[in-house]
Amino acid sequence: MTDSSRRLVQTALVSLNGVIGEPLRWAGPYFGPGSAQHSLEVLRRSGAMLMGRGTYELFSRQWPAATGPYAEHINAMKKYVFSSTLQEADWSNTSVVADDPAQAVAALKNTPGNTPGGDLIVYGHGRFGQTLWDAGLVDELTLTVVPVVVDGAPYHRPGALPRSWELVGAGPGHDPGLAVLTYRPVRPEGTGSGS
């Protein structure tokens, strides 16, 4: 990563047993005012949101009709949905990118941000998130651990490339019961982020 490139920040909710699938089903009772305020602060530091088609379909149903500071910001900010099958996006300020996700995101990282810092943010860790992980494009990973054990899709899918991460932050979450772990990738000396 060069001094002029934008960071790619990935954030995800994860259960005690490593599940990330369908977090609305099991994380809701723990996501209170503290988490909501922190999420808004992270969003305000971000220049654009990146997502795969699954996240787009969920968010584009949830947020356009919502009200409040978070909804206003997420609806107004620049968004990119990476899909080879989606023809157009109905959600405001959303562009569809059909190109190779790793190459397209690497190019986005090398464009100036439109907010201080200009982070590119990715929520969750589905196929799109794993593609960015495998390509070495993720600069910071934040996991909010929710104290439940549930069935569902695991964080790390079989066959994914191994990566080493350095713990740079750990502590209580922004609401009772949660823990937050922040990691940055350990990269061999002299290498960049894949961008």
Side-chain angles (χ1 to χ4, degrees), residues 175-192:
D175 284 300
L178 302 175
V180 176
L181 306 171
T182 301
Y183 297 89
R184 291 187 185 142
V186 175
R187 296 187 171 112
E189 194 69 27
T191 63

Side-chain angles (χ1 to χ4, degrees), residues 67-86:
T67 59
Y70 187 90
E72 290 171 7
H73 196 89
I74 200 171
N75 287 323
M77 75 184 298
K78 182 63 181 172
K79 298 172 285 289
Y80 297 91
V81 54
F82 292 79
S83 172
S84 60
T85 56
L86 188 66

Side-chain angles (χ1 to χ4, degrees), residues 56-145:
Y56 168 77
E57 289 179 343
L58 176 66
F59 281 17
S60 65
R61 288 192 304 265
Q62 177 181 0
W63 291 113
T67 59
Y70 187 90
E72 290 171 7
H73 196 89
I74 200 171
N75 287 323
M77 75 184 298
K78 182 63 181 172
K79 298 172 285 289
Y80 297 91
V81 54
F82 292 79
S83 172
S84 60
T85 56
L86 188 66
Q87 298 301 310
E88 59 182 11
D90 296 327
W91 193 9
S92 62
N93 300 312
T94 302
S95 299
V96 178
V97 182
D99 300 334
D100 174 80
Q103 291 182 2
V105 170
L108 279 173
K109 288 183 68 176
N110 286 316
T111 60
N114 60 5
T115 64
D119 290 347
L120 302 172
I121 189 165
V122 177
Y123 286 133
H125 192 77
R127 286 190 303 168
F128 174 64
Q130 188 67 57
T131 296
L132 303 183
W133 169 301
D134 287 347
L137 292 167
V138 179
D139 299 300
E140 187 171 283
L141 170 66
T142 297
L143 301 177
T144 297
V145 183

